[in-house]
Amino acid sequence: MPLGITRDHHALTTTMREWAESIDGTAAIRSAEHDAEATVAKVWAEVTSMGLTAIVLPETEGGGGSDLVDQAIALEAAARGLVPGPLLVTSVVGSIAARVSTPAAAAVVRRIAAGERAAIALDGSVRLGTDRVEGTVAVAVDATDADWLLVCTDERAWLLVPCGGWSGSTAVGLDLSTRAGGLSISAAREHVVELTGVDDGLVAAHVVTLAAAEASGLASWCLDTAVEYAKVREQFGAPIGSFQAVKHLCSAMLETTESIAAAAWDAATVLAEGDDADAISFAVDVAATVAFSGAVQVAQDCVQVLGGIGFTFEHDAHLYLRRAIALRAVVGAVAGRADQAAARLTSAAATGRRRELEVDFAGADEPFRSRTRAALAEIAALPEHDRRGALVDAGYLMPHLAAPYGLGAGPVEQVVIDAELVRAGLQRPDLKIGGWAVPTIIAHGTDAQRERFVRPTLEGAIVWCQLFSEPGAGSDLASLSTRAERVDGGWSLTGQKVWTSLAHEADWAICLARTNREVAKHRGITFFLVDMRSEGLEVRPLREMTGDAMFNEVFLDGVLVPDDCVVGEVDAGWNVSRTTLSSERVAMAGTKLGVSTERAVALAAGRPDAVVRVGHQVALATVCQLIGVRATLRSIAGRGPGPESSVAKLLGVRNRQEASDLVGELLGPRILLGGQVDVDADVHEMLLTRCLSIAGGTTQVLRNVVAERVLGLPR
């Protein structure tokens, strides 16, 4: 998915992508290899006519007056089309200069809005004297025909040196879409624009944010190119996209691409708001940690999927790989390497900093919020044992359900209710499997079933478990063999279920059993409600590697299930099990980084060897939250579901497993000691997280599903 979320952002993305494609950036880059000046000048005329470097500049200075998110969206689309020239650097310089309240800076902003270009000095020694600015620059990017050079002096002052204030030459290097070279600077101080109030942090924030937007564009092109090729390239008589190894590689590319987009979007969003330095530095460091190494990896994986054709100069893949590596180098020179950003994240997290995102509904939520706040205040004032029933009566327990069980709340209302529950000090009870059973019964059950099961479940009188998985049917659930045979008044169920959480506590179970062996395996399954106290049903606890017995085996030996406990049509249980209500549950992510990541932050104190690795987990945990937030905001914007839920599960599992393993490593020999509460909890979490890449479908199967259903690769 692209960086932008709202409908306006989607429209801007579409327009910008169409424009970038019309430029034919890769053809221009190939031409520029022999005639850089003429090619860049021609492309720059197109850039100027579109006003791309002026999007974020004030209208009073000839700019578009939009925010930095719009500028980032434009850069993302331009990078996807590999538009050559100094668009990134010029956008950075214009945005920074627009923050400086001096007539000289305002003049630069006007000239950039009119089409002048900027370059940036990455390394060297420049001195700001009384009358002149003198020095040398080892590496300057986009200096060919530039009008301004952004440079930092040895005294950490940021300046804009005008054309004529430097000399030197640039040449074709790694990135064929730009030029770099060494320069000698000698300019009268009166001609130099001093960017008063601009410091290293502000420059780094703009460079990282807008470069991360470009990284998102590069990664999206590489992902799409790899996927499209995998659909048609045949080897061994089949498209290579049907091979599991290629599916998994493309799915991993999607995970990284979504992570880059989320981090770039957040950095642009918080920098556009511009009034919280801690939030800016945290979001920017997350982007610096994940975006640039991520873009390089996706570009490398693209070449891998393409195979031999991807290694040729004729294919465009290497141009994207070159740009991604160049972006990583530019950002590293200005803002530090990814590991340095990760170390800063650990330090920030240790002081309590987190990303806290709020939704601005522009006042549209106020009438509903006021009513909700008043109602929840009344419920909070009740005795504790009466609150759950009151939440059920008011529809707040599962507000996304239709009345009379909920409020039929849409995304906006659900987010408001969650926020107001926290404000009122109320905690919504966790229905666990009941949270899955209730919507299914409402959607597919009879009136009698809804009357019998829904409200008691909401009130906590009925606890549910799920009899789905079997020893021979885990990820491939449709292969289940538990059979249901017609008997007088109902069905007789015989078989074995496994990995059943809460079976030893449950009152009822939702159960899938095979009722027809003569049809395709998905079509001969029926959805049953099973009384866990039924004769012929035996529950045996399964002790896990943690030592707990949360899971169970359940044996069914002629268990009678009456006809009134069949949900939906006989033989149509697979569709019942896969169906969700059209009004889906949405929620904003919290600010906690997860148990193990938070614990790793605490253990990293005074451990220089650990801060980088912990910082990478902080970044990953934050990205997981951002992807969830973006999914919610997409729902609020009415744009429907994207790939976020599958990506969030894959990344979330990875984060919890990696972070808990890191905690175990940081404990050192203490991990061998039993009887210490904190260590015992860490060990338990480390062992428990091993099940996350298995439960609910293995990571490998989920990657297959993502590759086929999201990316469209063949089976």
Side-chain angles (χ1 to χ4, degrees), residues 381-399:
L382 295 173
E384 188 171 351
H385 64 272
D386 293 332
R387 293 175 186 171
R388 181 167 183 159
L391 287 172
V392 174
D393 290 337
Y396 291 130
L397 192 67
M398 295 185 76

Side-chain angles (χ1 to χ4, degrees), residues 533-554:
R533 292 175 293 273
S534 298
E535 185 177 348
L537 191 150
E538 180 184 1
V539 176
R540 297 180 189 172
L542 279 173
R543 196 175 186 204
E544 302 123 38
M545 68 165 63
T546 61
D548 298 336
M550 181 180 71
F551 294 126
N552 303 268
E553 290 180 293
V554 178

Side-chain angles (χ1 to χ4, degrees), residues 2 55 101 108 185 207 225 256 260 270 275 518 611 690:
I55 291 173
S101 301
V108 172
I185 297 177
V207 170
T225 299
T256 304
I260 296 169
V270 71
D275 56 358
E518 304 302 320
V611 292
R690 286 298 97 202

Side-chain angles (χ1 to χ4, degrees), residues 443-475:
H444 299 283
T446 64
D447 289 340
Q449 288 171 343
R450 286 187 279 269
E451 178 70 23
R452 181 179 181 184
F453 293 109
V454 174
R455 186 176 179 90
T457 300
L458 296 178
E459 291 178 336
I462 297 177
V463 175
W464 292 83
C465 67
Q466 178 175 282
L467 299 178
F468 280 15
S469 295
E470 299 182 4
S475 296

Side-chain angles (χ1 to χ4, degrees), residues 327-345:
L327 275 183
R328 184 176 63 184
V330 169
V331 171
V334 176
R337 300 183 307 277
D339 284 354
Q340 292 171 300
R344 291 194 295 269
L345 282 176

Side-chain angles (χ1 to χ4, degrees), residues 2 10 12-29 42-43 46-47 50 52 73-84 87 217 220-222 224-225 228 316 320:
H10 180 67
L12 178 59
T13 298
T14 301
T15 299
M16 291 305 309
R17 283 189 176 184
E18 291 174 352
W19 171 82
E21 289 176 4
S22 73
I23 294 296
D24 197 358
T26 55
I29 289 170
K42 180 180 178 181
V43 172
E46 297 281 351
V47 169
M50 287 291 291
L52 296 192
I73 289 171
L75 287 170
E76 179 191 44
R80 180 183 169 88
L82 214 63
V83 175
L87 179 54
S220 71
W221 182 92
C222 291
D224 289 349
T225 299
E228 292 307 310
D316 293 335
Y320 285 82

Side-chain angles (χ1 to χ4, degrees), residues 465-470 477 480 497-498 500 503 509-513 530 532 537 554 556:
C465 67
Q466 178 175 282
L467 299 178
F468 280 15
S469 295
E470 299 182 4
L477 183 59
L480 62 86
K497 299 292 184 176
V498 73
T500 307
I510 53 177
C511 177
L512 293 178
V530 177
M532 291 298 289
L537 191 150
V554 178
L556 301 99

